[in-house]
Amino acid sequence: MSEETPTQILKQVEYYFSDSNFPRDNFLKTEASKNVDNYISIDIIASFNRMKTISTDLQLITDALKKSTRLQVSEDGKMVRRLDPLPENIDCGKTLYSKGWPEDTTIEKVQEFFNANGGYKVVSVRLRKKSDKSFKGSLLADFESEEIVNKIISEAPKLGETQLIYQTFKQFTDEKKDEKEAYFASIGDKKRKAKKEADRENGGGGDDDNKDIKEEEDVMVPGVILCFKGVGKGLHRGDIKEIFSQYGDVKFVGYNNDDENGSVRYKTAESCKRALESLTETKKEIGGQIPTYNVLEGEEEKKEWEKILERFKNARNNGGKGGFKKGGFQKGGKKGGFKKGGNFKKVKKE
């Protein structure tokens, strides 16, 4: 037995019962509910794969847990529970989402990385897994404060030469929610189209598709369009969205693959401001280059929103067809977006 083993046992089991893990762990909550005093069998804790790599000695595990200031071992030494009551609300602000980690990533390597890059103490790490249990390359890490999470996102430390992706837990979950809604909306569109075709074949006129189109609110939102100039070559729209999504919900990316200039439109002005401040302060490289940034305002912003709102209107009038298309700002099939130098192209009306 290593001298560090009792410490490792205590650290791991305290994590199981921590505010960051226990409220989300349905298995542990179910086991605790089986006992009137919310105790869980130490045998069950010891059976976890992670615990097996530390120790399988039940007596050693029990003795280590008795030294905890956060846990309580039952009088017969067979069960354990947390001392503090569960928090009423889960504080997600202290949780960081990160993506781009290599396959050999371990909890220890993540803890060492953040300790070496800023001296940040990682409270807990959850490596996200695929259905086959292999590592997805992304993780959730809990820290002692929301300020630390925001600072890491701002600093965006690299793992060697790899630029990792960082987001708050809320940004991550909001994106997943939007993706799910878009998926179910697309299924609904397919069903509506099939019904309309069936109605036509049966001689009916069908329902008005425009009633079912999921529309964006057709009002100008000031301070949400961030322009960038001078990114490196070899980038795609997906790369741009992934980078800028670290700072908030990106509604649209105006960028043609391999261009030097483009824009992103955020859902809120707060996200846009956060992105501008962080990217400017950290001089973050995009495609090996350090771009310059500015938020559209005044007449330039007004003119761009006139184009955006016109496209919303045309999309609704066309039953949801058209509007924004891949490759930047477009209308009627013509390419738009930014010219080099950051100015908008004017699209000639057909």
Side-chain angles (χ1 to χ4, degrees):
M1 179 193 74
S2 167
E3 293 181 0
E4 298 181 354
T5 300
T7 302
Q8 291 175 328
I9 292 171
L10 193 57
K11 185 176 181 180
Q12 186 61 33
V13 179
E14 284 184 343
Y15 161 67
Y16 290 145
F17 286 89
S18 68
D19 289 351
S20 59
N21 180 74
F22 193 86
R24 300 186 180 100
D25 195 318
N26 291 328
F27 176 78
L28 288 179
K29 287 193 297 182
T30 300
E31 289 299 315
S33 68
K34 295 176 181 178
N35 185 285
V36 67
D37 294 317
N38 294 320
Y39 278 108
I40 297 176
S41 169
I42 295 177
D43 280 337
I44 291 176
I45 300 296
S47 69
F48 296 163
N49 291 333
R50 179 68 180 164
M51 285 296 296
K52 289 178 182 178
T53 64
I54 300 173
S55 176
T56 56
D57 187 332
L58 281 177
Q59 189 58 53
L60 177 63
I61 293 172
T62 302
D63 291 342
L65 296 183
K66 287 179 179 179
K67 298 177 182 179
S68 175
T69 58
R70 300 177 182 177
L71 305 175
Q72 181 178 20
V73 175
S74 61
E75 291 184 4
D76 61 7
K78 294 182 179 181
M79 309 190 84
V80 63
R81 67 178 180 182
R82 54 179 284 150
L83 283 172
D84 297 328
L86 285 172
E88 292 183 4
N89 298 307
I90 301 174
D91 186 1
C92 297
K94 299 178 183 179
T95 302
L96 175 78
Y97 169 77
S98 184
K99 180 180 177 182
W101 295 77
E103 292 182 0
D104 63 348
T105 298
T106 63
I107 291 174
E108 289 77 16
K109 288 182 178 179
V110 175
Q111 292 170 331
E112 291 169 4
F113 172 79
F114 286 111
N115 183 55
N117 290 274
Y120 302 122
K121 179 184 176 181
V122 181
V123 176
S124 64
V125 178
R126 297 184 292 285
L127 302 179
R128 302 182 69 234
K129 303 293 182 70
K130 300 178 183 177
S131 57
D132 62 0
K133 303 300 182 181
S134 62
F135 180 47
K136 293 180 68 172
S138 61
L139 56 87
L140 296 171
D142 294 314
F143 293 87
E144 294 178 324
S145 70
E146 187 174 350
E147 289 73 22
I148 291 176
V149 171
N150 291 330
K151 195 171 183 182
I152 292 172
I153 292 174
S154 175
E155 294 170 349
K158 288 185 176 180
L159 180 63
E161 295 300 315
T162 302
Q163 180 62 68
L164 300 171
I165 300 298
Y166 299 99
Q167 289 181 301
T168 64
F169 183 74
K170 185 179 186 306
Q171 290 167 355
F172 167 66
T173 54
D174 284 349
E175 274 195 10
K176 290 298 179 185
K177 181 181 178 181
D178 288 344
E179 289 175 5
K180 184 179 289 187
E181 288 178 351
Y183 170 73
F184 285 114
S186 68
I187 293 177
D189 288 340
K190 290 177 181 178
K191 289 182 178 179
R192 285 193 297 273
K193 288 177 182 178
K195 183 179 184 300
K196 189 173 182 180
E197 290 299 322
D199 288 339
R200 284 176 178 170
E201 290 178 5
N202 294 327
D207 295 329
D208 185 1
D209 282 348
N210 289 338
K211 293 180 181 178
D212 296 316
I213 295 170
K214 187 178 180 181
E215 302 170 353
E216 291 196 54
E217 194 172 349
D218 54 350
V219 294
M220 174 180 171
V221 182
V224 297
I225 301 176
L226 179 64
C227 303
F228 55 88
K229 303 177 184 177
V231 299
K233 296 291 185 180
L235 296 172
H236 300 278
R237 292 180 74 251
D239 301 322
I240 297 296
K241 182 173 184 180
E242 190 170 46
I243 291 169
F244 285 89
S245 291
Q246 296 178 46
Y247 310 102
D249 185 4
V250 173
K251 302 300 292 182
F252 182 75
V253 177
Y255 177 77
N256 294 315
N257 295 346
D258 287 330
D259 272 2
E260 295 179 358
N261 309 324
S263 73
V264 292
R265 176 163 54 87
Y266 283 97
K267 183 176 182 179
T268 66
E270 290 76 14
S271 296
C272 191
K273 181 181 178 182
R274 179 167 56 244
L276 175 65
E277 292 176 348
S278 179
L279 291 165
T280 303
E281 181 181 348
T282 60
K283 296 181 179 179
K284 184 171 181 176
E285 292 185 2
I286 300 180
Q289 301 293 327
I290 301 176
T292 57
Y293 308 91
N294 71 285
V295 177
L296 282 189
E297 55 186 4
E299 278 301 310
E300 193 174 17
E301 180 185 33
K302 182 179 178 182
K303 289 178 180 179
E304 184 55 31
W305 267 104
E306 286 175 354
K307 297 176 185 178
I308 293 171
L309 297 179
E310 184 180 358
R311 293 185 183 103
F312 287 166
K313 181 179 178 181
N314 290 338
R316 289 194 298 272
N317 291 339
N318 293 329
K321 298 177 182 178
F324 296 117
K325 297 187 179 181
K326 187 176 179 181
F329 292 116
Q330 299 189 10
K331 181 180 178 184
K334 301 273 187 178
K335 288 187 178 180
F338 288 99
K339 290 181 180 179
K340 292 184 178 180
N343 295 323
F344 291 104
K345 292 181 181 179
K346 292 184 178 179
V347 181
K348 184 178 179 180
K349 292 185 178 180
E350 301 293 343

